Amino acid sequence: MARADRLERLEAQREEAEADYRAALIGALRVTAGGQWGLFDHQQDRHARAKAASMLAELNELADTINAMREKLGMEEFDLHAEFLAARGPVRSDAVGEPKKAAAWLQRLGA
């Protein structure tokens, strides 16, 4: 019974951590949609990276915690963070800018 209680508590903590991650991602996306570049690292500009560094550190830390919990629970990796990481990096010159991309993510997340 103790093992089941621990797993139940861990599941509740995971759900809370995933909600925290989603809230942090939405906050970062709102900043980016407002015009601050760097979250998606499209331009690979060191000044933009510096501005987004704290937001990215928070997201990565939360994702690491979530993935550790998911591993203990026998679950797959946290998809939302994996999708976000896949959306980062250099893009073609005709791709939409980071603010528009962030707005699209916000709409997708229903925020």
Side-chain angles (χ1 to χ4, degrees), residues 53-65:
S54 64
M55 294 184 291
L56 289 168
E58 180 183 10
L59 292 171
N60 286 326
E61 184 178 323
L62 284 167
D64 289 345
T65 301

Side-chain angles (χ1 to χ4, degrees), residues 94-109:
D94 61 343
V96 298
E98 289 190 30
K100 285 186 180 179
K101 188 171 193 171
W105 269 74
L106 286 168
Q107 184 176 12
R108 180 178 147 232
L109 293 173

Side-chain angles (χ1 to χ4, degrees), residues 2 8 17 20-21 29 36 42 50 53-54 59 70 74 76 82 97-98 103 108:
E8 190 175 314
D20 290 345
Y21 179 92
L29 290 168
Q36 179 179 308
H42 286 346
S54 64
L59 292 171
R70 284 177 156 267
E76 293 181 13
E98 289 190 30
R108 180 178 147 232

